[in-house]
Amino acid sequence: MHMMRSVGTLTRADLAETLNRKLGLSRAESLDLVEAILAKMCCALSEGENVKISSFGSFVLRDKRERVGRNPKTGIEVPITPRRVMTFRASQKLKDRIGAAV
Amino acid sequence: MIRSELVEALATDNPELRVEEVEQIVDIFFDEIAARLAEGGRVELRGFGTFTTRAREARTGRNPRTGDAVDVPAKRVPYFKPGKEMRERLNTD
């Protein structure tokens, strides 16, 4: 199997740059909007609401019960407190788009 | 929250933008993330989380209806790891 061409990491700044370039919004406004999108999703999730973005995927909350864990170094049993975790389920469209790139 | 509710909330907070513009902004945001993943790259949104892709090897699957063996080719699948801040925020009341 051949190595995939190495591509850099996309960040907030890159997303803002694209909004600036494609829509002509100012750089400051573009960055604010990127931040606002993340804040809205973050806010809904922290209030216990799942976030579903059609043709991209869903961020789904799961409540985990308490369980017994072990410190891998010492072997001592420690309780793992109940917690809420967030998972991402990619939409079929996103899976197809990424899977096709092999 | 669904995509249209996200657009609505952003439009309310940014009255200087038309709703169609906000829709374009949201479309571009998610499309850029998908495009980078499709190119084999990763997307790091500090505080929120990181999107990457993981390799899946080719395997022989079964058609659940007929039981016939089918070859499932190797592929990449999307993967998301929530950021530390996000994980903490989910667990504060």
Side-chain angles (χ1 to χ4, degrees):
Chain A
M1 188 179 291
H2 61 88
M3 286 291 291
M4 188 167 281
R5 166 172 74 93
S6 100
V7 187
T9 300
L10 189 82
T11 64
R12 283 174 168 77
D14 300 313
L15 289 165
E17 164 67 27
T18 306
L19 293 181
N20 166 263
R21 182 165 43 81
K22 290 197 172 172
L23 302 177
L25 300 165
S26 78
R27 283 171 196 279
E29 194 177 8
S30 299
L31 209 46
D32 285 350
L33 283 159
V34 167
E35 210 56 67
I37 293 172
L38 292 170
K40 290 289 176 203
M41 292 201 289
C42 199
C43 192
L45 289 158
S46 63
E47 282 169 9
E49 221 187 308
N50 291 341
V51 173
K52 186 174 180 178
I53 306 296
S54 56
S55 80
F56 184 76
S58 305
F59 298 94
V60 182
L61 298 166
R62 295 179 64 117
D63 287 312
K64 300 284 201 180
R65 284 177 308 176
E66 182 176 78
R67 65 193 168 88
V68 178
R70 218 176 258 281
N71 180 328
K73 206 165 277 177
T74 62
I76 295 168
E77 284 189 356
V78 285
I80 295 175
T81 53
R83 67 191 63 220
R84 178 169 283 172
V85 297
M86 160 186 175
T87 59
F88 175 65
R89 277 186 55 96
S91 72
Q92 193 56 49
K93 199 170 168 186
L94 182 64
K95 287 183 192 169
D96 290 345
R97 197 165 164 187
I98 289 168
V102 173
Chain B
M1 182 169 79
I2 60 173
R3 188 196 279 260
S4 60
E5 290 166 337
L6 173 62
V7 168
E8 211 174 300
L10 292 165
T12 304
D13 288 354
N14 296 275
E16 75 283 6
L17 297 172
R18 285 177 293 116
V19 175
E20 306 84 80
E21 285 179 298
V22 179
E23 272 165 2
Q24 279 184 306
I25 289 161
V26 170
D27 284 352
I28 290 171
F29 180 92
F30 290 106
D31 193 62
E32 283 295 300
I33 295 174
R36 184 57 60 102
L37 293 174
E39 287 168 20
R42 63 201 287 278
V43 181
E44 187 174 321
L45 301 168
R46 212 156 281 175
F48 186 75
T50 304
F51 294 92
T52 51
T53 59
R54 295 190 159 183
R56 290 277 177 273
E57 282 179 16
R59 62 188 172 87
T60 304
R62 298 219 167 254
N63 179 329
R65 193 165 296 175
T66 62
D68 293 346
V70 283
D71 288 330
V72 182
K75 63 184 169 196
R76 298 198 74 82
V77 295
Y79 179 77
F80 174 75
K81 184 177 172 12
K84 187 161 179 279
E85 260 176 66
M86 189 72 232
R87 290 201 304 271
E88 286 169 359
R89 270 194 73 175
L90 296 178
N91 290 286
T92 48
D93 299 312

